[in-house]
Amino acid sequence: MAPPETLRVYNTMRGEKVSLTPLEPGKIKIYVCGPTVYSYVHIGNARSFTSFDVIVRYLRYRGFDVKYVRNYTDVDDKIINAARVIGQWGTRLTVQNDGSATLDGQPFKWTTDGHKLTLIDRAELPIDLAKQTVTLDGEALVRQGAPNDPIEHAAHFVREFEADAKALHMIPPDVSPKVSETIPEIITIIEKLIAKGVAYESRGDVYFQVSKYPQYAKLSKRKLDDLQAGARVEPGDAKREPLDFALWKSAKPGEPSWESPWGRGRPGWHIECSAMSAKYLGDTFDLHGGGLDLIFPHHENEIAQSEAASGVELCKCWMHGGFLDLEGAKMSKSLGNVVRLRDALQKVDAEALRYFFLSTHYRAPLGFSDKSLADADARMEYFYETLRLANERPSAGGVDDEKHLRAIEHEMDDDFNFTGALGHLSALFADMNKQLTEKDKGKANAALTALKASVKKIASVLGLFEDDPAQWLSRRRDRAVKQRGIDVAKVEAAITARADARKAKDFKRGDEIRAELKAMGVDIMDTPQGTTWKVTPE
RNA sequence: GGCGCCAUAGCCAAGUGGUAAGGCAAGGGUCUGCAAAACCCUCAUCCCCCGGUUCGAAUCCGGGUGGCGCCUCCA
């Protein structure tokens, strides 16, 4: 399929939807700001990455040759801090995913005010834990046996991220560069900026001089005067002007550092993305993605650095994903209202979580709640139950389904309107169910074959329906059984007893048994193949 | 304080000038011994409020109210 001419994308720089015109016909180069790997990703992060996952999948579905780069920030203050905490307490302190924690094998209590993890009830220990606080941005993330090496700490959480991403059915990017592996390129860019007179060295640090770059803040549309007012100067900073930001930070003891023309040190936060995107995508590329919170200062600084260095536009179109909200507030590690992805995946199926993410447009806020998750899970059950029945039918040719695919493409072509597409997906499944009850089986099977083919195509875009339906349904039931503490043997005995009662025409007893099971959360279905049962998760 | 986003039925949520997708819930029906599942029907004369532009606005403009975000680390 030839890539369409009509695809429109909301460009934050312009504040409106623009036609996606690739720099090179048929090819799209996209850079997505990846995670800072100091702890586990939360579902807010996951929502954003899932959005770009579907966007990349759709661009490929549409026939574009996509090069997808998503970095890991593995050199950063947060990582250094997290590793330091672990170095201090080492293997003695662990906090499990369920919130329980131990110190030297003994359970202890902890609280968090959103910024600090406070250990309580353990004043007798060598460290005065009654007063001691751990600044981990609300994340009680301490893993057993972690060494006090920030790079190793980061590498560990890269692996954890990759496991989580895979569990959420995300496609891997073509390139996942790391800061620690891009140091030479970072140094080269900084040298270029110094040579051009927009950056300067000061006491082993290097800063970007914002006043030398007149277009600064064109993405976030701020006025320099306003920024000036709120600018913060750290005590240790050697900036010329408050708005200047660090490209290179001189090494402090215990921090990872590399040799540079300015002495040992490490890169500032923003320069890495400039270096990595240039290295893998060139000076100008098509799409740049990230969360809304990255607009300022991260992307703003990225633009300033890259464009000052290269003299050309960094990116044709800036895409920003909306936040995931928990009880009306943005989910973020610094607020402490965090649900980790891996914890969410314990409670709900990965595809149900994906469906939930896609149920609101990628730029809009998405409210997370147990109910919204349960709704998504119930919807996935409907889809999979339909597919299970449809898969029992033999394939038959002769019919095409264009209607649903075209409708979904129409939605997706308009700024990746996942949610609009999902509306048409409902129509597709309703059609499948109609065909499943159609009297003319031959005709129905031909229609179902075409509809199943459409589902398969859409599945590849949404990252849904990748499981075998029967297995998916079975896993869902297993999880619900476990959650509700249901005794499977008891359920099956009850079903047998009911079958006996029904055989004896004792429908009253049969219905009593049904009611008893219902009270346990078990629904039974009488089918031509016998009685089956299902459990709705709590 | 500065900048920006949002406000659609009981709930969630698409829809950026042409007369309100979809899902959940609810009510009715078909099927079933009864159920479940599925399917069908019903469910916003109207899109926070006020004013304006227009033949025509949920959609554009101005004002107001309410919520959120960024301005410090953040997807």
Side-chain angles (χ1 to χ4, degrees):
Chain A
M1 190 193 323
E5 309 274 320
T6 53
L7 227 155
R8 289 164 62 76
V9 185
Y10 185 87
N11 181 0
T12 307
M13 185 69 84
R14 296 272 302 273
E16 62 188 0
K17 290 178 194 171
V18 298
S19 293
L20 182 63
T21 310
L23 290 160
E24 281 180 65
K27 294 187 179 179
I28 295 286
K29 293 186 246 184
I30 177 169
Y31 185 92
V32 175
C33 284
T36 299
V37 281
Y38 68 101
S39 73
Y40 301 100
V41 284
H42 61 66
I43 53 173
N45 301 321
R47 189 254 177 137
S48 180
F49 293 133
T50 300
S51 295
F52 290 107
D53 181 73
V54 173
I55 286 165
V56 169
R57 285 165 177 265
Y58 184 67
L59 290 169
R60 288 194 175 136
Y61 167 90
R62 271 307 209 177
F64 289 104
D65 177 10
V66 180
K67 185 164 185 185
Y68 173 27
V69 179
R70 187 187 63 210
N71 73 290
Y72 289 110
T73 296
D74 66 341
V75 178
D76 175 85
D77 290 346
K78 285 169 169 328
I79 295 165
I80 292 166
N81 288 338
R84 184 172 292 151
V85 167
I86 291 166
Q88 187 179 350
W89 282 322
T91 62
R92 296 165 49 218
L93 182 90
T94 60
V95 180
Q96 305 298 331
N97 287 345
D98 64 5
S100 64
T102 58
L103 187 61
D104 291 335
Q106 297 294 312
F108 72 89
K109 291 178 183 170
W110 58 275
T111 61
T112 177
D113 66 357
H115 293 276
K116 289 170 181 168
L117 172 68
T118 305
L119 313 184
I120 51 181
D121 289 336
R122 295 305 299 264
E124 76 280 10
L125 285 155
I127 305 165
D128 184 6
L129 292 179
K131 292 177 185 167
Q132 193 78 32
T133 57
V134 185
T135 303
L136 282 179
D137 292 305
E139 270 289 276
L141 78 106
V142 182
R143 70 196 169 89
Q144 205 144 18
N148 187 19
D149 173 10
I151 297 289
E152 176 53 33
H153 178 93
H156 171 81
F157 282 105
V158 166
R159 291 190 292 274
E160 299 294 331
F161 179 88
E162 284 173 350
D164 283 347
K166 192 176 173 194
L168 231 203
H169 297 194
M170 283 197 242
I171 53 170
D174 296 300
V175 190
S176 300
K178 299 186 181 81
V179 181
S180 62
E181 294 166 358
T182 319
I183 302 294
E185 290 83 356
I186 289 172
I187 289 173
T188 302
I189 286 203
I190 296 174
E191 287 181 310
K192 208 165 172 180
L193 290 168
I194 292 174
K196 292 202 170 190
V198 294
Y200 57 91
E201 193 217 330
S202 175
R203 285 190 249 146
D205 295 343
V206 180
Y207 295 94
F208 186 93
Q209 191 161 5
V210 169
S211 60
K212 294 280 175 79
Y213 182 73
Q215 295 183 75
Y216 191 76
K218 66 180 175 182
L219 180 68
S220 57
K221 293 160 188 70
R222 306 228 159 121
K223 296 191 190 91
L224 282 185
D225 289 346
D226 296 334
L227 289 171
Q228 214 80 252
R232 195 175 63 163
V233 182
E234 297 288 337
D237 282 359
K239 297 176 183 178
R240 285 182 191 164
E241 295 171 285
L243 249 36
D244 297 352
F245 56 90
L247 300 172
W248 189 262
K249 299 176 173 181
S250 60
K252 296 180 192 70
E255 292 184 357
S257 62
W258 290 265
E259 285 300 337
S260 82
W262 321 285
R264 286 197 77 84
R266 61 187 168 95
W269 175 34
H270 317 291
I271 193 66
E272 57 184 81
C273 285
S274 291
M276 288 186 276
S277 63
K279 181 174 178 180
Y280 294 102
L281 297 176
D283 287 338
T284 303
F285 47 95
D286 298 288
L287 297 171
H288 191 134
L292 269 176
D293 47 1
L294 295 181
I295 292 174
F296 189 91
H298 186 242
H299 289 161
E300 205 65 78
N301 292 357
E302 236 181 288
I303 291 167
Q305 296 157 346
S306 291
E307 297 191 356
S310 71
V312 297
E313 188 180 19
L314 208 210
C315 170
K316 303 304 287 184
C317 181
W318 290 84
M319 303 181 70
H320 291 98
F323 297 129
L324 188 133
D325 294 341
L326 185 61
E327 284 160 17
K330 170 190 170 185
M331 181 172 292
S332 83
K333 291 176 184 173
S334 45
L335 292 176
N337 60 340
V338 163
V339 177
R340 288 186 198 172
L341 173 55
R342 58 182 52 197
D343 295 337
L345 289 177
Q346 296 290 322
K347 290 168 85 173
V348 71
D349 177 79
E351 293 193 348
L353 187 58
R354 279 184 82 97
Y355 185 86
F356 163 66
F357 287 152
L358 300 179
S359 66
T360 297
H361 187 86
Y362 78 91
R363 283 189 285 112
L366 170 62
F368 178 84
S369 68
D370 288 340
K371 184 183 180 298
S372 57
L373 225 47
D375 286 350
D377 184 58
R379 198 64 189 149
M380 285 307 296
E381 193 214 9
Y382 164 82
F383 291 139
Y384 266 121
E385 182 60 29
T386 305
L387 287 173
R388 187 183 68 77
L389 294 169
N391 283 165
E392 289 174 354
R393 298 299 190 89
S395 290
V399 181
D400 281 320
D401 166 51
E402 287 293 311
K403 183 174 73 169
H404 299 103
L405 282 178
R406 294 297 89 81
I408 287 169
E409 287 161 9
H410 182 74
E411 296 291 349
M412 291 293 283
D413 283 350
D414 183 14
D415 196 28
F416 309 100
N417 190 347
F418 310 150
T419 315
L422 256 28
H424 296 293
L425 192 68
S426 286
L428 197 169
F429 275 82
D431 272 4
M432 284 184 104
N433 276 118
K434 275 175 225 170
Q435 295 300 148
L436 284 167
T437 53
E438 169 66 44
K439 292 265 191 330
D440 184 344
K441 289 274 170 76
K443 201 175 148 194
N445 288 345
L448 282 166
T449 302
L451 291 168
K452 280 190 281 186
S454 290
V455 169
K456 201 165 183 183
K457 286 179 185 166
I458 296 159
S460 74
V461 173
L462 301 178
L464 299 176
F465 317 128
E466 291 182 356
D467 275 317
D468 173 72
Q471 278 179 19
W472 190 92
L473 292 163
S474 161
R475 261 192 296 117
R476 180 176 188 266
R477 189 175 85 174
D478 289 347
R479 189 170 44 242
V481 162
K482 211 171 150 192
Q483 271 176 17
R484 301 179 85 121
I486 288 168
D487 184 339
V488 174
K490 224 170 167 176
V491 171
E492 280 166 0
I495 287 173
T496 305
R498 176 168 167 274
D500 292 342
R502 291 176 74 209
K503 215 171 279 172
K505 300 285 176 198
D506 185 358
F507 292 121
K508 185 164 174 284
R509 180 61 196 143
D511 290 348
E512 279 168 16
I513 293 170
R514 173 192 291 287
E516 285 162 19
L517 289 169
K518 179 85 184 165
M520 290 163 62
V522 175
D523 283 309
I524 53 178
M525 290 87 74
D526 296 323
T527 74
Q529 290 79 36
T531 299
T532 61
W533 57 284
K534 66 169 190 171
V535 186
T536 302
E538 276 189 305

